[in-house]
Amino acid sequence: MRMIFVNLPVKDLVKSKEFFSALGFSYNPAFTNDDAACMIVEENIYVMLLTHGHFQQFIEGDIADTSKGKEVLTCLSAGSRAEVDDYLKKALAAGGKPWKPILDMGPMYGCSFQDLDGHVWEIMYMDMSSAG
């Protein structure tokens, strides 16, 4: 069984946890402390929110400045167009910022936003009955 851990540096771990909790995510307490929070996306998919000091221990060089460029686009699937819209509404209400306009390409529908640290998140729905 494979697992995926996306590691993201955050300036304020408490505020980041509150932001993602508002989107409906929970945390694994066994891997959450004052320096890191293990956000559960789904079984075998986790996002490690790491304070800058803790994140720096795992990298060479500088932490990317998200106000000047993007280091990654994290895209999560959604089960419906309504779920896409709900994620965007929750993210903006929790302090996130809009990034690009809604993407509506018929069977593919999605939104994007920036979290409190400027990381870009995309939520995409794909109507698989319309896929070739």
Side-chain angles (χ1 to χ4, degrees):
M1 166 180 56
R2 289 194 185 268
M3 300 167 71
I4 185 168
F5 292 85
V6 176
N7 294 272
L8 293 177
V10 299
K11 293 175 186 159
D12 187 321
L13 185 59
V14 172
K15 286 183 181 178
S16 291
K17 285 175 60 180
E18 290 171 357
F19 175 83
F20 288 107
S21 292
L23 273 63
F25 294 107
S26 60
Y27 300 90
N28 181 334
F31 301 103
T32 299
N33 57 36
D34 291 340
D35 292 316
C38 180
M39 185 174 84
I40 302 166
V41 175
E42 195 165 296
E43 183 180 6
N44 300 330
I45 303 172
Y46 306 92
V47 175
M48 296 299 299
L49 303 173
L50 306 172
T51 62
H52 277 216
H54 195 60
F55 186 85
Q56 191 68 56
Q57 295 176 26
F58 298 100
I59 67 168
E60 300 278 331
D62 298 326
I63 294 173
D65 182 347
T66 58
S67 70
K68 295 181 180 177
K70 299 300 172 223
E71 76 284 6
V72 66
L73 299 174
T74 303
C75 183
L76 301 177
S77 63
S80 67
R81 287 173 167 252
E83 186 177 358
V84 169
D85 294 338
D86 188 51
Y87 265 106
L88 182 58
K89 181 180 173 182
K90 287 178 182 176
L92 298 179
K97 296 178 185 172
W99 193 52
K100 286 188 169 185
I102 293 287
L103 173 71
D104 191 347
M105 298 178 68
M108 191 165 81
Y109 179 80
C111 72
S112 59
F113 58 87
Q114 294 182 49
D115 66 19
L116 302 179
D117 290 279
H119 304 294
V120 175
W121 293 80
E122 297 177 315
I123 310 296
M124 299 297 285
Y125 168 68
M126 174 66 92
D127 181 355
M128 296 309 284
S129 67
S130 296

